[in-house]
Amino acid sequence: MFSEVPVFLSFQLDSVRFPGIACLLERQKLPPAGGIEEKFLDGAEAFTKQASADFLPSLAEVVKLPSIKWVLVSRNAATIVDEYLLDRLETLLGRIVEHNDKVTIVTGGGLGLNDERYCANYSSTEPFIFYNPDLHPIIDTMIDLYLVSADDVRDYIRDNGVSNGEVFELALIATSYAKKGKFSLYSPDLSTGVNGPFRSRNLSLMAEQAGDLAEPLTSDKVLSTLAGPLTLAYKPKCDTLGRPVPSHLRTLIDAAENVIEPLLDGPMISIVTRTQFRRMYLLRRMLTSISRARIQSLPVEIMLSTDIDANDAAKHLDSIRQEFPRLDINLTVNRRSEHSRVANLLGGVEAAKGEYIWFMDDDDYVDLFAFKNIASAFFCGARPFILGDSIVHTERWDKINEAFPILAESSYRAEYPGLNWRSMFAGVNHLPICGPVIPREFLLRRVSEFRFDYDLSEDYTLFLLLLSAPDLPPVVNLSKVIAHISIREGDDNSVTAPDRTGWTRDISAYLYSLFYGSASQGASCWSSLLKQHIVPVSKDTQEQIIQFQAALSRKDGQILQMSREIEYLQNLVKSQVVETTAA
């Protein structure tokens, strides 16, 4: 009978299907007593039961063979190793093949550069729904299950020994970014179940304990990881007089950003701005914010979309271009008999040249770090549907009709988290127009399937249309503020309008069109999405009803015939009784 004390099970996977890949799994006993792990272990070679329960010495033994390239590690005895994990592992290796020499750790759960949390693991005691199928760079990993480069493990153990196993993953990621120019990744392909809680960590990493390993890390900080809080109580080295010696290594975040930046394949973003050039002081602020926030790796064009007189619009454009010579500013004029928010919205999209569309009304403006945060979503060529946070400010401007308007007062009013997109189908608009950054081709494809018959609540309608799409790209929540929204008292701000009748009328009409279609535009887009599921069911049900009705009709006929026969027999009996009595 085997001990219930956790041990590390090490073996090499099928050398034909997975050449150079070993496993180190923490388990309660050895070998597995039946169940799904048997199928995972089919074809495994060179089983070894580690005598020690210490993790890092066990890992050091696994990587002694120079033929080993990767090690699949689980430091949670409750991790479920199912047979399909091999298929997911094969998919993962295909996804990272072009970056093999640049990857240190790949994990199914980790902490991103901007405190984004990624997790494709499911815990029976901490359940939640995960999403996002793209690769993302991370600075920390969950330790339930991950894939690690054997070469990096060998170098780490050579330089640091086999002590401090509890800080191994974080230190390895940090030193790889800072010293080797290598990155670590989150990938959903390493998803797994955990029959219990995730393996948590709450560590105190001291410089005198871990030597140089602490230096690449942000000092005196608690990292909020998916596996629990990780405390870094870093004490800098001191000289003989007790004075701190400055570290020559960059922080982990700085090192990671420098390594990741060349892999951020940023597309051009077209910022579509509806304007009638009546709020020039706000439009200038918006353009100034773009000029200050933009970054070299992310080209930007500004598409001013208007419905005023074309000659007047051209004059305004010339003036703005002279004032902002370093910005790529273009103009589109949407000719309609009446002013139209929808026409300016969609006309700007059609005229834009960027791969992405970011709507920014002329009284909104871009956060200083917006483009830096947005660029992180384009890691390794990803092209997701991006959602950022927005902050609403209540403002008061003075001297707006003079040469130099003054922002006299500004106060925080509210925040719209990008995560609110999940609540959009509850009947309330949770996303401002400037919250999403949308792939243009996807956007054009969707708006071509729906006719905007009304003019207000067009943003809510548009976002419902996009989020209900069967071909919706992967959704990335930045959890960072990317835009600011100005609220001002007066007629020039639609949010403060006291009469909301127009909005209520249009939103109700739009919702009807989305769900059911209307006589003016035929079947709705949502109906076309659902008909392949609902119509066949309806047809089957209808045929069943017809058959049932036919059967009922036959039964009715039989019942009627039986009733007549019974009535005839009853009359016959009565007549016989009468005749007998008379006799």
Side-chain angles (χ1 to χ4, degrees), residues 352-373:
K353 300 186 293 291
E355 189 177 339
Y356 270 73
I357 298 294
W358 188 8
F359 294 114
M360 187 77 52
D361 283 343
D362 59 7
D363 56 349
D364 304 331
Y365 60 99
V366 171
D367 187 79
L368 182 61
F369 302 103
F371 293 113
K372 180 173 177 290
N373 292 327

Side-chain angles (χ1 to χ4, degrees), residues 29 115 182 216 220 231 260 304 375 458 485 524 558:
K29 50 192 173 183
D115 291 331
K182 299 182 68 172
D220 297 325
T231 304
I260 294 302
L304 301 178
E458 77 293 344
I485 303 164
S524 74
Q558 295 172 3

Side-chain angles (χ1 to χ4, degrees), residues 565-582:
E565 291 177 357
I566 292 172
E567 184 180 1
Y568 169 77
L569 291 173
Q570 288 175 339
N571 291 335
L572 181 60
V573 170
K574 286 180 182 179
S575 64
Q576 290 177 346
V577 170
V578 170
E579 289 176 357
T580 303
T581 303

Side-chain angles (χ1 to χ4, degrees), residues 39-102:
K39 295 183 179 179
F40 177 81
L41 298 174
D42 284 349
E45 305 169 4
F47 278 95
T48 305
K49 177 184 178 182
Q50 300 296 332
S52 170
D54 291 336
F55 163 66
L56 208 48
S58 300
L59 183 59
E61 289 296 318
V62 172
V63 298
K64 280 185 176 179
L65 288 176
S67 61
I68 299 299
K69 303 301 180 185
W70 297 97
V71 184
L72 185 66
V73 175
S74 171
R75 298 185 63 182
N76 188 345
T79 300
I80 297 172
V81 184
D82 66 276
E83 67 272 31
Y84 297 110
L85 178 58
L86 294 176
D87 295 334
R88 297 195 294 274
L89 178 61
E90 200 167 37
T91 301
L92 168 63
L93 294 172
R95 294 182 77 178
I96 66 171
V97 65
E98 61 180 307
H99 303 295
N100 272 348
D101 60 340
K102 285 291 186 180

Side-chain angles (χ1 to χ4, degrees), residues 228-256:
L230 182 64
T231 304
L232 305 176
Y234 170 57
K235 293 183 178 179
K237 295 179 180 178
C238 297
D239 61 16
T240 55
L241 298 178
R243 295 173 300 191
V245 176
S247 172
H248 296 290
L249 293 175
R250 297 162 299 198
T251 65
L252 171 58
I253 300 296
D254 290 340

Side-chain angles (χ1 to χ4, degrees), residues 376-506:
S376 66
F378 301 121
F379 177 68
C380 285
R383 292 296 183 265
F385 186 104
I386 303 169
L387 290 160
D389 299 351
S390 306
I391 292 180
V392 182
H393 304 270
T394 300
E395 298 181 344
R396 180 173 64 83
W397 287 78
D398 290 342
K399 302 181 179 180
I400 60 175
N401 296 319
E402 299 181 16
F404 300 101
I406 298 172
L407 177 59
E409 187 177 338
S410 179
S411 61
Y412 169 88
R413 174 161 175 165
E415 184 168 351
Y416 287 97
L419 280 170
N420 280 358
W421 72 272
R422 298 184 178 192
S423 304
M424 287 289 285
F425 298 92
V428 178
N429 187 5
H430 290 271
L431 293 179
I433 193 70
C434 54
V437 184
I438 310 164
R440 179 173 176 269
E441 290 302 318
F442 165 69
L443 175 58
L444 287 172
R445 189 163 59 249
R446 290 299 284 164
V447 298
S448 68
E449 299 169 349
F450 184 82
R451 193 165 74 234
F452 288 79
D453 286 337
Y454 305 92
D455 201 46
L456 303 177
S457 295
E458 77 293 344
D459 52 346
Y460 186 29
T461 308
L462 176 65
F463 295 151
L464 287 177
L465 188 68
L466 298 176
L467 293 172
S468 64
D471 58 343
L472 178 67
V475 176
V476 169
N477 283 115
L478 297 178
S479 299
K480 294 288 183 179
V481 175
I482 62 173
H484 299 263
I485 303 164
S486 169
I487 300 295
R488 304 161 312 285
E489 296 296 333
D491 296 335
D492 74 330
N493 192 259
S494 59
V495 177
T496 58
D499 185 2
R500 309 297 292 179
T501 304
W503 267 264
T504 304
R505 165 191 174 270
D506 285 9

Side-chain angles (χ1 to χ4, degrees), residues 185-198:
L185 293 170
Y186 155 82
S187 172
D189 302 303
L190 280 183
S191 66
T192 188
V194 180
N195 189 30
F198 296 122

Side-chain angles (χ1 to χ4, degrees), residues 105-175:
I105 282 179
V106 188
T107 178
L111 184 71
L113 295 177
N114 295 316
D115 291 331
E116 303 99 334
R117 298 181 175 210
Y118 305 114
C119 185
N121 301 332
Y122 184 88
S123 162
S124 61
T125 59
E126 305 170 49
F128 65 95
I129 300 298
F130 53 82
Y131 65 98
N132 204 321
D134 284 330
L135 299 172
H136 293 279
I138 59 165
I139 57 172
D140 188 28
T141 177
M142 295 174 68
I143 60 176
D144 303 274
L145 184 73
Y146 61 86
L147 187 72
V148 62
S149 164
D151 285 341
D152 291 346
V153 173
R154 295 185 191 104
D155 293 344
Y156 176 92
I157 293 175
R158 180 197 64 211
D159 295 340
N160 305 287
V162 294
S163 60
N164 295 320
E166 281 299 304
V167 303
F168 164 71
E169 292 86 3
L170 184 64
L172 180 63
I173 291 172
T175 53

